[in-house]
Amino acid sequence: MQDNPVGSEKGLSQHHEDIFTQDASKAAGQGLAATDQYGRALIEFDRVAERRLRRKIDFCILPTVSLIYLFCFIDRANIGNAKLAGFEKDLGLTGYDYNAVLSVFYISYILFEIPSNIACKLVGPGWFLPALTVAFGICSLGTAFVHTIHSASGVRFLLGIFEAGMMPGIAYYLSRWYRRRELAFYMSLYIVMAPLAGAFGGLLASAILTLDNFGSLHTWRMIFAIEGIITIGLGLLAFITLTDRPETARWLTQEQKELAIARLKSERVATTEVLDKMDKAKTLRGIFSPATLTTSFIFLLNNITVQGLAFFAPTIVRTIYPHNSVVSQQLHTVPPYVVGAFFTVLFPFLSWRFDRRLPFFVLAPPLMITGYIMFLASDDAHVRYGATFLIAAGAFSFGALCNAHVANNVVSDTARSSAIGTNVMFGNIGGLVSTWSFLPFDGPDYHIGNGLNLATASMTLILGALMWAWMRWDNRRREKVDVDRALADLSQQQVQDLDWRNPAFRWKM
């Protein structure tokens, strides 16, 4: 290059790209690893080419998964908006009937969480996720025609079956495309749809309720019917727009397909294939990893808050502003969700830049703790309303951070699928608890519900700090292990089956 000082920067970039493409082609090959036995990458990638690939993936993948998750959450949480519009009265619900209808959803959601994510791997997310979207859209539409607690519970049970695979399925799907340090941020771009669903769902419900009728349907029935039809349409569109994996992406060049595969393999010690066959040993590695179990329990605690906000935010707002109109109460649920959405993206974005997730497990809970202390300590409506902003700011980012953390702390694709499924299953046990955290006799102050959430936020802070300390300790322990001796008598397949037990593996914090 010294002989040609005025040489084109573009030409230099192209030269680098040509060099790395040859290496990536080799690393992407079936049966070849992109790391040495110590987990060190054997290939260096061109940042310009990686950035170009990432932008293409962003444009072709993220809009679809974000939209279907938006309506997944709306179809789950719109029962809270329907409650304000007469759902309980029309179905004759009394006492704890409403809580029971909410609980039925989570029973099926929890039972089908891990099986659904395994099915997602076997069928392929490019087909499985759109099919789920159409199915739960039909369930939402069906809710518009229920007349008893039994029919409402039946439809909610089916809704739980089909929504069970959505959050972990999309998280697993994105892990087929993005690097470890990128994953939390890109997960946040679809998980942010949860707080936005709270905001947008309130606005959409308010707009729908201004209609006189939708066919033969009136009031809250219009909410379920219109939103269900939109969801079905999105699901049908997703069959066309979602690509299953890099190898089948018609919108990628051959060089970009090889780069997409090689850059994932370069982060996975002893991995010779990105999409391995289903394997019992690796499935269990994903479920019973210490990182998976601890993070999953944190997600359980956090989801008590997140799902509680989704279902009861309209009710809480009504206790704060009891004399406002129903539409005004719906609109007051929107601003806290907007703030929550901002932090849902901010914390994972910072985790990408610093390649750290556990610091945010410690930074976010104090926001929730402060919010619940404000709610419990004050009777002032404005103070309590302000508390909901802090709670939303701290709570919603854990969806992306927890899923990314369990995905990053296993090696194989099979273990990743089961780890994410386990995490979300535990999270939805928290969702089940949340349906019984704000009880009718406890209103309007809801000391039990808010006290419970104060306790879960405090426990989240403690567990996050303890996991961080343990991972640092165990990584130092692993550095003292003789990797050559530990792996000397094992075949390539046995080494891959070790997954996170491989002494060359390091916990990602």
Side-chain angles (χ1 to χ4, degrees):
M1 291 300 299
Q2 290 178 344
D3 295 333
N4 185 17
V6 294
S8 165
E9 183 177 344
K10 181 178 178 182
L12 178 61
S13 175
Q14 183 64 48
H15 174 66
H16 282 193
E17 188 170 342
D18 288 341
I19 292 175
F20 98 75
T21 298
Q22 295 170 11
D23 292 338
S25 177
K26 295 176 183 176
Q30 190 77 4
L32 298 175
T35 72
D36 61 19
Q37 64 179 339
Y38 305 103
R40 296 176 299 211
L42 296 174
I43 182 170
E44 185 174 343
F45 300 105
D46 184 280
R47 291 185 178 181
V48 174
E50 266 201 286
R51 191 159 52 244
R52 203 177 294 137
L53 169 67
R54 196 167 54 238
R55 284 174 183 166
K56 215 177 219 188
I57 295 171
D58 296 348
F59 179 77
C60 295
I61 295 296
L62 289 175
T64 299
V65 297
S66 297
L67 277 174
I68 62 177
Y69 191 69
L70 171 67
F71 276 86
C72 168
F73 209 88
I74 285 176
D75 288 350
R76 177 194 316 179
N78 57 12
I79 193 170
N81 301 109
K83 182 185 180 186
L84 283 183
F87 178 81
E88 281 184 300
K89 180 181 177 182
D90 290 352
L91 268 61
L93 304 184
T94 58
Y96 302 119
D97 287 349
Y98 177 72
N99 302 78
V101 172
L102 297 184
S103 297
V104 165
F105 168 85
Y106 279 105
I107 292 171
S108 58
Y109 206 120
I110 292 164
L111 290 174
F112 285 88
E113 199 74 67
I114 294 177
S116 188
N117 224 38
I118 292 174
C120 184
K121 175 178 171 59
L122 293 174
V123 175
W127 296 100
F128 193 70
L129 296 177
L132 288 182
T133 305
V134 171
F136 68 69
I138 293 171
C139 290
S140 181
L141 176 60
T143 311
F145 300 95
V146 301
H147 293 278
T148 67
I149 183 175
H150 305 295
S151 56
S153 298
V155 173
R156 293 290 293 183
F157 186 85
L158 290 174
L159 185 69
I161 292 175
F162 297 124
E163 285 204 6
M166 190 53 63
M167 184 183 192
I170 296 176
Y172 164 66
Y173 180 48
L174 294 184
S175 73
R176 289 186 169 193
W177 298 90
Y178 292 106
R179 274 182 180 268
R180 170 179 53 80
R181 68 180 299 161
E182 301 163 353
L183 199 53
F185 174 67
Y186 284 103
M187 284 183 182
S188 78
L189 294 183
Y190 86 85
I191 291 174
V192 73
M193 294 299 155
L196 288 181
F200 180 65
L203 292 172
L204 184 57
S206 300
I208 291 172
L209 289 173
T210 62
L211 301 175
D212 292 328
N213 63 283
F214 180 69
S216 62
L217 303 174
H218 301 272
T219 61
W220 58 268
R221 297 183 186 276
M222 298 189 298
I223 296 175
F224 289 112
I226 293 174
E227 292 176 355
I229 290 170
I230 295 172
T231 301
I232 293 169
L234 285 173
L236 294 174
L237 184 63
F239 277 111
I240 301 170
T241 57
L242 280 191
T243 302
D244 197 59
R245 57 192 184 277
E247 296 96 317
T248 61
R250 291 190 297 270
W251 39 270
L252 291 179
T253 66
Q254 184 58 36
E255 291 77 13
Q256 288 173 327
K257 291 178 184 179
E258 291 165 352
L259 171 59
I261 297 167
R263 74 192 202 114
L264 296 182
K265 288 174 70 173
S266 69
E267 296 185 322
R268 302 178 185 178
V269 59
T271 296
T272 58
E273 52 192 2
V274 173
L275 300 181
D276 59 332
K277 293 181 180 179
M278 188 64 67
D279 179 289
K280 180 181 177 181
K282 286 180 280 191
T283 299
L284 295 176
R285 289 276 189 264
I287 295 173
F288 293 105
S289 161
T292 299
L293 294 176
T294 308
T295 306
S296 297
F297 189 65
I298 288 174
F299 196 42
L300 183 157
L301 297 172
N302 176 255
N303 233 28
I304 295 175
T305 298
V306 171
Q307 302 299 341
L309 278 177
F311 287 123
F312 295 101
T315 303
I316 293 170
V317 167
R318 184 166 58 187
T319 66
I320 298 174
Y321 300 103
H323 304 298
N324 290 27
S325 68
V326 171
V327 171
S328 174
Q329 290 171 353
Q330 300 274 16
L331 293 176
H332 270 91
T333 66
V334 174
Y337 281 110
V338 174
V339 172
F342 173 76
F343 281 90
T344 298
V345 176
L346 175 64
F347 285 159
F349 175 76
L350 293 175
S351 83
W352 177 15
R353 290 308 178 196
F354 294 107
D355 196 15
R356 291 288 184 272
R357 281 141 298 281
L358 287 181
F360 302 99
F361 280 58
V362 176
L363 290 173
L367 295 171
M368 294 184 279
I369 291 170
T370 304
Y372 284 112
I373 289 174
M374 289 169 60
F375 209 104
L376 288 165
S378 175
D379 293 327
D380 184 88
H382 293 93
V383 172
R384 287 185 165 186
Y385 188 53
T388 63
F389 286 81
L390 287 173
I391 294 165
F396 280 102
S397 61
F398 276 89
L401 293 171
C402 288
N403 278 307
H405 190 61
V406 297
N408 290 339
N409 282 291
V410 292
V411 179
S412 67
D413 186 71
T414 296
R416 184 166 291 102
S417 173
S418 60
I420 294 172
T422 302
N423 181 62
V424 179
M425 182 191 73
F426 270 73
N428 284 295
I429 295 173
L432 177 60
V433 174
S434 76
T435 64
W436 294 93
S437 60
F438 292 90
L439 300 170
F441 73 85
D442 196 31
D445 294 322
Y446 294 105
H447 291 300
I448 294 175
N450 291 304
L452 172 65
N453 281 284
L454 174 60
T456 60
S458 302
M459 183 59 70
T460 296
L461 174 62
I462 293 168
L463 287 175
L466 288 175
M467 179 164 57
W468 193 359
W470 178 82
M471 283 186 164
R472 288 171 61 89
W473 171 83
D474 197 54
N475 277 348
R476 287 196 294 269
R477 180 190 65 81
R478 287 168 179 257
E479 287 171 1
K480 299 175 183 177
V481 176
D482 186 332
V483 176
D484 293 326
R485 178 179 296 177
L487 304 180
D489 299 323
L490 302 180
S491 67
Q492 179 66 41
Q493 184 60 48
Q494 289 173 319
V495 171
Q496 290 192 64
D497 282 345
L498 287 173
D499 208 87
W500 55 269
R501 287 183 175 273
N502 189 321
F505 175 81
R506 298 292 181 271
W507 300 109
K508 314 299 189 299
M509 295 177 284

